[in-house]
Amino acid sequence: KDAIKGYLQSATLYVQQGNPMAASQAVENVFRLQPNDNDTVKAFFMLLQRMDLTQRGVQYINSLALDKDPEFKLILSEMFLEEGNFETARQLIQGSVRQCPMLYKPAMKVLDGLISRRDLDGSLELVEELFEISVRQRDESNLKVLLDSLLELDETNPRLLKTLTAVLIRMNDKEKLEGYLKRLVLVQLRANEVRDARESLNKLVVYGSSSFYLDLLNLINEATLDQSPEIMKKTVQKVIRALETGSLEKDQNERTAPLALGVSELDLGM
């Protein structure tokens, strides 16, 4: 350990003095002694980066299986992103963020890169890893900006709209939430996903500003109890039209119902 420490200090001093040959000799001695504790390997890797020997450093980290360590994952992913090696950084990060929350920041950069590459599936997989961590770190607003950009790739993706509405609920942004929930309900109804649409419509009742959302939910619930496919189909179409127009149309027989005996239009008006 003392020898490794001495060689590292020597190599660092030689680099500072502009003596690359002597620094390389000291570095080779470190490789020969094979340090394996995290702090020493981290210092060694940083030194190799300064000497433009990053690839040898990565190989050494991999040989010790330290590329699975969260701290080294963070160091390597940030280094690869800085170098423009996007795919390698993505491979390190994707699937690891839940276990290694410290990867959150480079993962957000990877998400931005996936969106710019129009990789919808890869983006959605990473979003599901990032969502809970963004809430814990109170970074929902930055995640929402990326989700809005992602939504431009596919405005009718229910999985994406669900995530976006969940973020807006956490942010208590009721104004924008209502619009996205309406879009989600419409997408689900058009896809005949009535059960999911009922769940989203229930959220619209809670967070929306219009009282007629409750009428729409009641219509869906009544049609579900009736268990008639034809009635459900007509009800779904009626709810879709109501959400598109912003009002619930009355049935034909209700609009043309005769006045009660002895009641005039003037009486009703008064």
Side-chain angles (χ1 to χ4, degrees), residues 25 37 55 63 65 71 200 216 248:
Q25 290 174 352
D37 66 285
Q55 198 56 44
S63 72
E71 189 174 359
S200 302
L216 301 184
L248 181 61

Side-chain angles (χ1 to χ4, degrees), residues 3-268:
I4 291 168
K5 184 178 178 181
Y7 283 128
L8 278 174
Q9 289 174 344
S10 300
T12 302
L13 287 170
Y14 284 133
V15 169
Q16 291 171 353
Q17 293 168 4
N19 190 342
M21 187 174 294
S24 296
Q25 290 174 352
V27 160
E28 290 303 326
N29 281 316
V30 178
F31 275 120
R32 180 172 56 82
L33 295 171
Q34 296 186 339
N36 56 18
D37 66 285
N38 282 16
D39 290 339
T40 304
V41 174
K42 184 179 177 182
F44 186 37
F45 182 75
M46 297 298 187
L47 175 63
L48 292 172
Q49 278 187 296
R50 291 179 63 185
M51 296 174 65
D52 294 326
L53 295 172
T54 302
Q55 198 56 44
R56 281 196 72 184
V58 172
Q59 290 170 357
Y60 186 67
I61 287 172
N62 291 342
S63 72
L64 298 173
L66 286 174
D67 55 318
K68 304 294 188 293
D69 183 272
E71 189 174 359
F72 282 99
K73 272 183 178 288
L74 178 62
I75 293 170
L76 293 175
S77 59
E78 287 180 338
M79 181 197 71
F80 287 133
L81 286 171
E82 191 174 332
E83 291 177 350
N85 194 342
F86 179 81
E87 280 305 319
T88 307
R90 176 188 176 182
Q91 289 169 14
L92 270 172
I93 289 170
Q94 199 139 16
S96 301
V97 186
R98 287 192 180 99
Q99 294 78 22
C100 310
M102 64 173 65
L103 292 174
Y104 177 76
K105 286 187 177 179
M108 289 288 279
K109 293 178 183 177
V110 169
L111 177 59
D112 192 22
L114 289 170
I115 293 170
S116 64
R117 287 164 173 75
R118 305 184 70 81
D119 185 343
L120 183 61
D121 290 336
S123 298
L124 285 171
E125 287 177 16
L126 191 52
V127 163
E128 289 176 357
E129 288 190 71
L130 291 171
F131 174 61
E132 287 300 328
I133 300 172
S134 73
V135 172
R136 289 202 299 268
Q137 297 193 8
R138 301 183 183 277
D139 195 44
E140 304 99 313
S141 57
N142 285 328
L143 181 61
K144 182 191 168 296
V145 170
L146 291 177
L147 288 173
D148 281 333
S149 301
L150 187 55
L151 197 59
E152 293 175 7
L153 303 183
D154 186 358
E155 295 185 352
T156 60
N157 189 297
R159 184 176 164 195
L160 179 54
L161 283 166
K162 279 182 181 179
T163 306
L164 190 49
T165 53
V167 171
L168 290 169
I169 287 171
R170 293 295 189 108
M171 293 174 67
N172 199 29
D173 189 344
K174 292 185 179 180
E175 184 179 349
K176 291 181 180 177
L177 174 61
E178 184 173 351
Y180 283 116
L181 277 172
K182 283 175 68 175
R183 286 168 67 173
L184 177 58
V185 174
L186 284 168
V187 166
Q188 290 168 331
L189 288 175
R190 286 169 182 152
N192 205 31
E193 297 171 353
V194 179
R195 185 175 179 178
D196 290 339
R198 282 175 66 194
E199 184 180 335
S200 302
L201 193 53
N202 190 54
K203 291 178 183 176
L204 200 50
V205 171
V206 175
Y207 297 105
S209 59
S210 177
S211 59
F212 95 113
Y213 296 135
L214 181 57
D215 297 330
L216 301 184
L217 181 61
N218 288 334
L219 284 175
I220 295 284
N221 289 337
E222 288 168 9
T224 302
L225 291 172
D226 191 274
Q227 295 185 344
S228 167
E230 188 61 31
I231 290 176
M232 177 58 76
K233 185 177 179 180
K234 288 180 179 179
T235 302
V236 165
Q237 292 303 315
K238 186 174 183 179
V239 172
I240 288 173
R241 286 193 299 272
L243 288 171
E244 288 175 338
T245 60
S247 61
L248 181 61
E249 63 182 25
K250 294 182 179 181
D251 292 331
Q252 186 66 25
N253 58 355
E254 186 179 343
R255 285 198 298 264
T256 57
L259 294 175
L261 188 63
V263 178
S264 69
E265 288 186 24
L266 180 59
D267 291 331
L268 290 174

